[in-house]
Amino acid sequence: MRDRTIILLFGLLIASTVSAQTLDNPFFVFNNGLRDSVYNTVEKQVQLLLDNDYPGMEKEGLDGFGEVYQALQKNNLQLYTIYVNINLDNPEQPYDPRLVHVLKQIAGTNTIPWFYVTSQQYPPSSSEYDSLAVPILQQVADLAHQYGVRIMLYPHRNFWIESVEDAIRVAKKVNRRNLGMTFNLCHYLADCHSQEQDPMSQLPVLAKAAEPYLFAISLNGADSIPTDTNDIWASFIQPLGEGSFDTYAFLKTFLDLGFDGPIGLQCYSIDQDKAVHLQQSRRVWQRFQQKYAKGK
């Protein structure tokens, strides 16, 4: 009888633990989900965030940074990341010199700039040129460290850091504690498509390998295979909740590894009213939260 009681209590404890899990990662919006001919001012974009209950956004590039940053602060919203280029073809000045001033402004905050690394001279994923890229990234990481700022690599299809594997390889070589990476769903799908690989079969191994460096991930609806190979992004970037790819299973892979960082909503080329799209995505996100809380 005593053994049965212990087993029952143990089962109840496990059930309680599973049911208590929560998905409370910050869910922010990419800059391309807020800006168009209608929402063409910082004030309108900030109001769009407020109206749809998003905690903050990404900033694309450094133009107008001060205006955006002040507007977010004024409305108790968070700037989660900034999209910044590193150009390997210009070793004398590989990044926007305004970056130093921006790092000073975000010193000590949770804003994490993500860097897309490009080159016209060196092919995508060409590891033989790591010796050129690594010192540049070490310089940027050390600069950011002076202001207590973390930075991350942004793998982007057809750029020099193109894949998740590229970002992991380079992050290891840079070897700075404040330099990590993001895992972008749409670019991951594009890479798997080019390699003729099943994205979900590859994901557990890659997610585990990325885990030590993972600062953020991105989500969107998507198809597993593009319906139009001339426009893969129409399939790989859709409103959240749409498409044949199991975005929730993708997300849960990282949550099960203990990922608690920010999650960005990728909105590139989504042809839908911004407010409608953000409302739909918020509802899907809430369904994800409910599903995860139930241990599914």
Side-chain angles (χ1 to χ4, degrees):
M1 182 66 179
R2 180 174 178 274
D3 290 343
R4 289 180 61 189
T5 302
I6 291 174
I7 293 172
L8 178 60
L9 290 173
F10 184 68
L12 290 172
L13 177 61
I14 293 175
S16 174
T17 302
V18 170
S19 64
Q21 66 184 11
T22 58
L23 170 52
D24 52 10
N25 301 59
F27 184 48
F28 69 95
V29 184
F30 275 43
N31 210 158
N32 53 32
L34 299 167
R35 186 183 63 241
D36 64 10
S37 59
V38 175
Y39 300 97
N40 55 6
T41 67
V42 173
E43 291 75 18
K44 290 179 181 179
Q45 293 161 16
V46 167
Q47 192 60 50
L48 194 57
L49 290 170
L50 294 169
D51 290 345
N52 292 282
D53 198 27
Y54 284 86
M57 62 178 282
E58 172 216 38
K59 171 73 176 74
E60 183 176 354
L62 302 184
D63 291 346
F65 174 81
E67 181 184 8
V68 172
Y69 193 54
Q70 290 173 15
L72 292 172
Q73 288 184 312
K74 181 180 177 181
N75 289 277
N76 296 314
L77 295 171
Q78 171 74 36
L79 178 65
Y80 283 95
T81 188
I82 314 165
Y83 191 58
V84 185
N85 179 231
I86 287 180
N87 181 6
L88 299 184
D89 299 340
N90 186 13
E92 297 300 318
Q93 187 59 64
Y95 54 86
D96 191 322
R98 295 175 295 176
L99 178 64
V100 177
H101 178 64
V102 168
L103 290 173
K104 291 179 181 179
Q105 288 185 274
I106 63 173
T109 71
N110 292 322
T111 302
I112 315 173
W114 48 22
F115 290 86
Y116 61 105
V117 184
T118 58
S119 173
Q120 296 297 317
Q121 299 180 43
Y122 314 120
S125 302
S126 52
S127 59
E128 61 268 31
Y129 298 107
D130 287 0
S131 58
L132 299 176
V134 167
I136 293 172
L137 290 165
Q138 287 175 329
Q139 178 188 11
V140 176
D142 291 343
L143 176 64
H145 179 67
Q146 295 179 33
Y147 303 103
V149 173
R150 294 189 298 163
I151 64 174
M152 53 183 156
L153 305 175
Y154 186 105
H156 189 297
R157 184 72 185 153
N158 295 324
F159 289 178
W160 186 76
I161 292 185
E162 180 177 43
S163 67
V164 172
E165 293 93 335
D166 291 338
I168 295 170
R169 183 191 76 246
V170 173
K172 284 181 179 179
K173 291 183 179 180
V174 173
N175 193 28
R176 295 293 189 270
R177 295 183 65 180
N178 69 321
L179 182 140
M181 61 175 286
T182 183
F183 201 120
N184 301 300
L185 172 58
C186 65
H187 293 291
Y188 172 64
L189 291 174
D191 189 55
C192 287
H193 172 65
S194 71
Q195 303 293 329
E196 298 184 344
Q197 296 175 337
D198 173 48
M200 286 309 296
S201 68
Q202 305 295 319
L203 184 62
V205 172
L206 275 180
K208 184 63 177 177
E211 181 189 9
Y213 310 100
L214 198 60
F215 289 171
I217 65 175
S218 73
L219 292 181
N220 49 263
D223 289 323
S224 299
I225 300 172
T227 56
D228 180 358
T229 55
N230 293 318
D231 183 14
I232 62 171
W233 301 121
S235 291
F236 291 154
I237 305 176
Q238 299 180 42
L240 193 62
E242 297 184 11
S244 61
F245 182 77
D246 191 343
T247 303
Y248 177 75
F250 171 85
L251 171 62
K252 190 173 184 295
T253 300
F254 296 96
L255 299 178
D256 289 347
L257 290 171
F259 176 71
D260 60 0
I263 298 170
L265 177 66
Q266 170 64 268
C267 312
Y268 177 75
S269 284
I270 290 180
D271 186 18
Q272 193 177 44
D273 177 81
K274 300 297 185 188
V276 171
H277 174 236
L278 293 186
Q279 290 164 13
Q280 173 182 327
S281 297
R282 168 57 64 184
R283 288 193 295 269
V284 175
W285 177 256
Q286 290 168 343
R287 291 203 298 269
F288 285 176
Q289 290 178 310
Q290 293 164 4
K291 190 172 183 179
Y292 189 68
K294 293 177 180 177
K296 297 183 178 179

